[in-house]
Amino acid sequence: MVSFFSFNLKSDPESGVSYNNYSTPRSRRRQLACVSLGSLSMVIFLFIWNSQSHIYWQEATPVSSPNTDHATSSSRPTNSSSVPQTPEQSHAIELDPLHPLAVLNGPPMERFADNLRPDIQYISSWPNSGWTNDVMTYANLVYLGLITERVPIIPPFTPSHVGWDVAPIPFGDVFDVPRMRKLIGKPILEWREVKKSDSETLEALGCWNVWGSVQKSHSEARGSAVLPILKLGRPVSFLTDGCLRRTNLFCPKDISYTKTPDWIKLVPEWEHDPHTTFWTLARFAYPDTRTPNLIPPQPSPAQQLSLPPDEHLLCYDYLYYVSTQQPFEWDMDYNAPWRFVARYMHWTPRLEDLADSYVRHAMGIDPSSNEPTPPYIAVHVRRHDFAGWCGDVPLEDCFAPVSAYERRVHEVQDEILEKKGITVNHVIILSDEDDTAWWQQVDPLGWLRIDHSQTAEKHGPWYPVLIDAVIQSGGLGFVGTDKSTMSILARRRAQEWHDATYRMVRWGSADADLH
C-alpha cells in the first residue's frame, strides 16, 4: 500500500534499473524541504486548532447570583448545542456545586416551580415568631435539609419585633450565605434566588401541618406573614390586616396542608410543650411514612386546591419547636442545629463593619483612627417582654437586679485575665428596658451604651436589633439573661467565634442568681 507520503518509483527503459524520480541531490533537497514544510504546517495547524478549542471551552461568561451583593462568582457552561464538545472538554468547566445556579434552572423566575430542577429535591418552612426564634427556625430548616439530603430554601425575616409597617429583610442581608455554604459544604438557597421578589404569580403548594399535631388548642397549621410576600398566599396589608399581628397565627395563605399524625409530639402527656424531633419529621420525606399518612388535605384558601404534601419541595408549616432529644436544646452543648448549621451563620461583612463602627463610637475612638477595636464584654439584659413570665412574683423580685449582672461581669473579667492575661475594661450593655429609673442604676457603673438615636433613620428600622446582635456576639466576654434566646445565641456565637468567657444571669424569683 502506498502511503500519503510515499514517492513514485520508475524504471529506466535503457538500463533496466529502477530509480527514484527525485533521486538527484537537488531534487532530494526540494523533497526534504517540502516534507519538512508540510510536516511543520500540519503541526502548527493541529496546535492552533487544539489551543483555540481549549481556550474556547475554558473561557466562559462569569455569572453572579441574582443578588450580586451576596453571591459567589462562578461560570456558566457554554450552550452545548452551539459548539461541538469532545469528551475531554465536557468536564473542562464545572459550575461551583454550591452556587445557586448549580441547583436551579436559572435566575429567579415568576414561578418558583419553574426554577426547581427535576433531579434535585428541596425543603422549606415559614417563620412565625420573634426574630431570634426565626433565626433558630431557619437553622432547624437547614439541619432538616442536611439529614434528608434536600436543598433548603430560606425565606426572608418578617418584622415581628420591628413593626408590621416595615418591609421584610432577606436572610442573606443579615448572614453571609456564600460563607455559610462553604463552611457547611452544601448548597443553600434563599427564596429571592428562586422566585422573583416582584412576582405577582400566586402559587399553591401542598405542605405538612406540624403545629396542629403538637398542641391541643386547635388543629390548624401555623400561619406566617411571609407567605403573601412569597406569593404563596393572598396579598395583605401590613398595616390593616389583623392576621399579621402576633395574636393571630392564621395569615392568608394558599397552602394546602395535610395534618401530621399526633404521634409526632415529643412528649405526648405534656400538654403545654409543642416539640417534635428532627428524625420524626424527616420520616415524612420518605414513602414508608409519607404514604400511609396521606389523609385528605385541607384545601388552599385562595384557589381551593386540595394538594398532598409536595414531594419535590418538601415543606412544613413551622419548625421552631424541633429538637433532637428533649425540648429547648439550644442551650445544650450537643444541640445539632448549632453544631452543624448555626455556628456557620456568620454576619455579613457589611453588618460586622457597621456594628464595629458603633462600638468604636461608644468607646470614643476617632473614626479616622487605625487603632484596633479594644476587647470588650457585652451584657444583654432582657426584661421588658419577660414580665409576662413572672406570674404572681413582683417584678422587683422576678427580674435579676443590676448588681447580679455587675457581679457576673467581674467574674468574666477575672477569668479572662487569668486565662488569657488580658485586662478588659470596656463593658457594653444592651437592653430592651425603657425604664429611666432602671438605667439610672446602670449609669454609675461606667458601662457603655450604644447610641441608636439615628440608626433607624440612617440604615433602616431593622438595624438597631441587628447591630445589637452583632455587638453581643463580638466580645471577648459575654453576660446574658437566662432563658433569653437572644442571649443564648449571643453567648454561643461569642464562645465559638472568639473563645469568649460567659455567664448567664438567672431570674424568676428573689435571689434567683445567688448560685
Side-chain angles (χ1 to χ4, degrees):
M1 179 180 291
V2 179
S3 71
F4 181 77
F5 289 104
S6 64
F7 300 105
N8 185 21
L9 298 178
K10 296 184 179 180
S11 299
D12 186 349
E14 293 184 357
S15 64
V17 179
S18 296
Y19 64 95
N20 192 317
N21 194 37
Y22 301 96
S23 60
T24 66
R26 184 175 181 180
S27 64
R28 283 197 298 271
R29 285 195 298 270
R30 287 199 303 267
Q31 167 191 333
L32 292 173
C34 291
V35 170
S36 300
L37 181 61
S39 301
L40 180 60
S41 300
M42 180 60 67
V43 169
I44 293 173
F45 169 79
L46 293 173
F47 175 80
I48 294 174
W49 181 87
N50 182 67
S51 299
Q52 288 178 335
S53 175
H54 178 74
I55 292 171
Y56 182 87
W57 285 99
Q58 289 296 328
E59 292 182 351
T61 304
V63 295
S64 300
S65 167
N67 178 9
T68 56
D69 290 338
H70 310 288
T72 56
S73 297
S74 187
S75 300
R76 185 197 299 270
T78 306
N79 187 345
S80 60
S81 63
S82 61
V83 181
Q85 187 171 353
T86 66
E88 295 80 7
Q89 294 164 346
S90 65
H91 300 290
I93 298 175
E94 291 187 8
L95 191 66
D96 178 0
L98 305 181
H99 193 280
L101 290 178
V103 291
L104 292 171
N105 288 324
M109 299 184 182
E110 289 291 330
R111 288 169 37 86
F112 80 82
D114 295 336
N115 210 358
L116 304 185
R117 283 178 41 172
D119 59 325
I120 295 176
Q121 292 183 310
Y122 306 83
I123 185 171
S124 195
S125 188
W126 330 119
N128 189 325
S129 193
W131 175 69
T132 302
N133 291 9
D134 287 344
V135 171
M136 293 175 166
T137 297
Y138 290 165
N140 288 349
L141 166 62
V142 176
Y143 180 69
L144 193 55
L146 293 177
I147 66 175
T148 58
E149 299 179 292
R150 290 173 174 263
V151 177
I153 308 178
I154 305 177
F157 291 112
T158 53
S160 56
H161 272 27
V162 184
W164 291 114
D165 56 332
V166 176
I169 188 169
F171 179 84
D173 284 7
V174 179
F175 296 104
D176 190 340
V177 177
R179 184 179 181 184
M180 181 181 173
R181 291 175 184 135
K182 291 179 182 178
L183 291 173
I184 295 177
K186 297 291 183 181
I188 297 168
L189 296 172
E190 296 182 71
W191 267 95
R192 62 176 172 177
E193 294 169 322
V194 180
K195 185 173 182 175
K196 288 182 177 180
S197 300
D198 59 355
S199 172
E200 295 298 328
T201 302
L202 178 64
E203 296 178 85
L205 181 65
C207 298
W208 288 104
N209 167 8
V210 175
W211 184 246
S213 301
V214 294
Q215 45 72 52
K216 302 303 180 183
S217 59
H218 49 74
S219 61
E220 295 286 330
R222 182 135 171 161
S224 175
V226 83
L227 296 175
I229 297 164
L230 302 178
K231 296 302 182 292
L232 298 175
R234 297 190 299 268
V236 296
S237 166
F238 280 114
L239 289 172
T240 60
D241 199 301
C243 87
L244 295 178
R245 301 189 182 98
R246 297 188 65 193
T247 54
N248 191 327
L249 300 177
F250 311 110
C251 298
K253 53 190 177 292
D254 215 31
I255 306 293
S256 177
Y257 279 112
T258 298
K259 186 176 176 295
T260 52
D262 291 343
W263 53 254
I264 72 165
K265 185 174 169 64
L266 175 59
V267 188
E269 65 275 10
W270 193 356
E271 178 183 356
H272 300 292
D273 181 76
H275 276 82
T276 183
T277 69
F278 288 101
W279 277 109
T280 297
L281 296 184
R283 293 173 57 181
F284 293 88
Y286 305 101
D288 283 354
T289 297
R290 167 191 161 83
T291 303
N293 289 288
L294 288 177
I295 63 175
Q298 177 187 16
S300 62
Q303 303 178 67
Q304 288 295 298
L305 298 175
S306 295
L307 303 175
D310 200 280
E311 294 185 89
H312 197 193
L313 173 54
L314 178 67
C315 48
Y316 303 88
D317 60 335
Y318 194 51
L319 293 178
Y320 174 68
Y321 293 104
V322 188
S323 61
T324 55
Q325 193 175 38
Q326 67 183 48
F328 300 110
E329 292 176 332
W330 273 90
D331 209 16
M332 306 295 182
D333 55 4
Y334 63 83
N335 177 259
W338 170 260
R339 295 181 60 83
F340 296 102
V341 180
R343 69 197 295 185
Y344 304 123
M345 290 166 54
H346 291 270
W347 310 112
T348 63
R350 174 181 179 271
L351 196 51
E352 285 187 329
D353 290 344
L354 188 59
D356 185 61
S357 70
Y358 274 76
V359 169
R360 295 171 69 84
H361 177 75
M363 293 179 177
I365 300 175
D366 191 312
S368 62
S369 173
N370 292 324
E371 69 172 284
T373 303
Y376 63 88
I377 295 170
V379 179
H380 174 234
V381 182
R382 184 162 178 182
R383 288 169 56 91
H384 186 72
D385 62 346
F386 270 10
W389 292 92
C390 291
D392 298 330
V393 180
L395 293 185
E396 60 270 20
D397 292 333
C398 180
F399 290 144
V402 172
S403 59
Y405 289 90
E406 181 185 15
R407 182 174 65 254
R408 299 304 179 189
V409 167
H410 289 320
E411 291 177 4
V412 169
Q413 288 173 320
D414 293 343
E415 187 171 324
I416 293 173
L417 180 60
E418 179 184 353
K419 291 185 175 180
K420 297 182 170 66
I422 299 173
T423 299
V424 182
N425 296 318
H426 297 287
V427 179
I428 301 175
I429 183 167
L430 308 116
S431 177
D432 63 346
E433 183 58 73
D434 53 12
D435 181 16
T436 304
W438 183 84
W439 281 105
Q440 288 175 347
Q441 299 176 53
V442 175
D443 291 340
L445 299 176
W447 295 352
L448 304 176
R449 295 167 64 175
I450 299 299
D451 181 9
H452 281 308
S453 59
Q454 297 182 9
T455 301
E457 180 181 353
K458 286 184 177 180
H459 305 291
W462 274 98
Y463 282 83
V465 66
L466 296 179
I467 290 171
D468 281 2
V470 178
I471 293 172
Q472 291 166 17
S473 67
L476 197 58
F478 177 74
V479 176
T481 302
D482 187 44
K483 296 183 177 63
S484 164
T485 53
M486 193 167 198
S487 281
I488 290 171
L489 277 188
R491 74 92 175 162
R492 300 213 72 155
R493 291 168 179 143
Q495 187 181 23
E496 175 79 19
W497 300 340
H498 307 292
D499 190 29
T501 298
Y502 74 91
R503 297 289 190 276
M504 300 291 272
V505 176
R506 297 179 182 176
W507 58 280
S509 62
D511 299 327
D513 197 57
L514 291 180
H515 61 93

